[in-house]
Amino acid sequence: MAADETTTPEPRPVPLAPIPDHRNVHTPWWQELWRRYAHVITPLRARGLQCDIEFGLSTYIVRVWLPDDSYLVISPPHDPPSERPPGDPEGWITTREHPDDQTLFEVIYDSAPSDDPSAPQRPEALHGGSAQPLIEAIDHRLAQLGLLLHPALPHESSHVPPAQPSAPHEVRAVPGTPHPGPRYVYGDALRDLTDRLNGVESPADAAALLHQILEPTEGLLAQLGEFFEAAGEKAKEAEEDDGFDLSYDLADAAAEIRNLSEVLHVAEDRMRALTPLAPAPRLPSIPANGSPLPPRVLPPSSPKAAPPARRTP
C-alpha cells in the first residue's frame, strides 16, 4: 500500500508585538512619529519586542521593553541635538538600561558621527543612519543575553525601508506563498487609515486624514498616479505589442486618478468646515506607562525636557 502523502504546513507569519496602549496612539502627531520610525520599530515588533515612541532628553526616542524588565533606548545623537527629522538621523545610539539597577547600562550600538576628528570612532559609525546594521547589532546582543523572543528567520531581512505605513498594523501573508514573504503592507496601511477615520471624534481630525490622501504632491492619490505611470513605462520596456497596450491602460488609470484628485481637492476644507460634535469627556493625557507627553511639534523639540518615567508593570 502506498505510503500516505504528507504535506508540510506553511509556516504562519510571526505576529507583531502589540502597539502601545495609551491615548496618544490615536493622535495624528503620534501616528506620524510611528510612521517615521517604522523602519526601526517593525523589525523589533516582529521579534516579539514591544516598542513605544517617547520624548527623551532632547529628542524623540524609541523605547523597547525586554523580557527581563530592562529596556533599550534607540535615539539619534543627544549632544548636540540632531537637526534632521525624526526617524532619519545622522546615526543611531542604542543603550540597554534598567529602571531599578543603574549599574546595568551598556552601549549596544553607536553610529553617531563624532565631533572630535581625533577621537576613535566605533566601527558602526560607517553605517550612519542606516537601520539594518542597527537591527543586526540588537539581534546579536539580545541573542547573547537570551532575550531575543523571536529570532529573525533565514528568509527574513532585518531591513525595513523607511517608506512604511503611517500606522501600526498586523501583517498578513500572501496566500500560496511558502513563507510569510511579500505582505500587503500598503493595503494594510490604507486599511489602518480607514480604521482611524472611523474612530475620529471631529471633522477636523477627519480632514487631517483626508489630507494624507488628497495632498496634491505627496498625498496617496498623487503617488498612486505616479505609480501607475511608472508601471506603464515598465510595460513598454518589454517592447511587445501587449506591453504597449498595457502601458496605455496604465497611463489612462494614472490620468483618471489625477482627475479624481482634482475633483476632490476641496473635500478636505469642506470636511474641516463641518460643525464638530460635542466633545466627549476626556481623561488626563498621560500615557499608560506614566511617561510625560512629548511636544506635539515635529521637530524641533525642547532641549530641556525631562526624561520619561519607567513603565508601570
Side-chain angles (χ1 to χ4, degrees), residues 58-218:
S58 62
T59 187
Y60 295 98
I61 67 170
V62 175
R63 188 179 295 264
V64 185
W65 305 106
L66 301 178
D68 66 345
D69 291 333
S70 64
Y71 56 86
L72 303 179
V73 174
I74 304 173
S75 72
H78 286 280
D79 188 18
S82 175
E83 295 182 356
R84 296 173 66 91
D88 182 28
E90 307 93 327
W92 297 102
I93 300 174
T94 301
T95 60
R96 176 171 171 247
E97 307 173 32
H98 195 285
D100 300 322
D101 184 359
Q102 301 305 315
T103 64
L104 196 162
F105 179 90
E106 63 174 316
V107 177
I108 293 178
Y109 186 84
D110 184 356
S111 64
S114 173
D115 292 333
D116 184 359
S118 62
Q121 293 194 8
R122 295 170 65 101
E124 55 260 35
L126 297 174
H127 301 304
S130 176
Q132 182 173 1
L134 165 68
I135 301 300
E136 291 173 351
I138 292 174
D139 273 348
H140 179 70
R141 182 55 180 151
L142 295 188
Q144 289 179 328
L145 296 169
L147 299 176
L148 195 59
L149 298 180
H150 303 305
L153 299 177
H155 60 265
E156 289 181 337
S157 168
S158 54
H159 173 64
V160 177
Q164 285 294 302
S166 58
H169 63 280
E170 296 304 319
V171 299
R172 297 171 174 86
V174 177
T177 56
H179 55 72
R183 295 164 180 165
Y184 296 120
V185 292
Y186 308 108
D188 286 345
L190 189 56
R191 185 180 294 106
D192 288 333
L193 195 66
T194 302
D195 291 342
R196 290 160 54 191
L197 181 62
N198 287 332
V200 299
E201 299 178 355
S202 72
D205 290 339
L209 296 178
L210 277 175
H211 180 78
Q212 296 289 326
I213 305 296
L214 301 177
E215 201 282 327
T217 58
E218 302 296 332

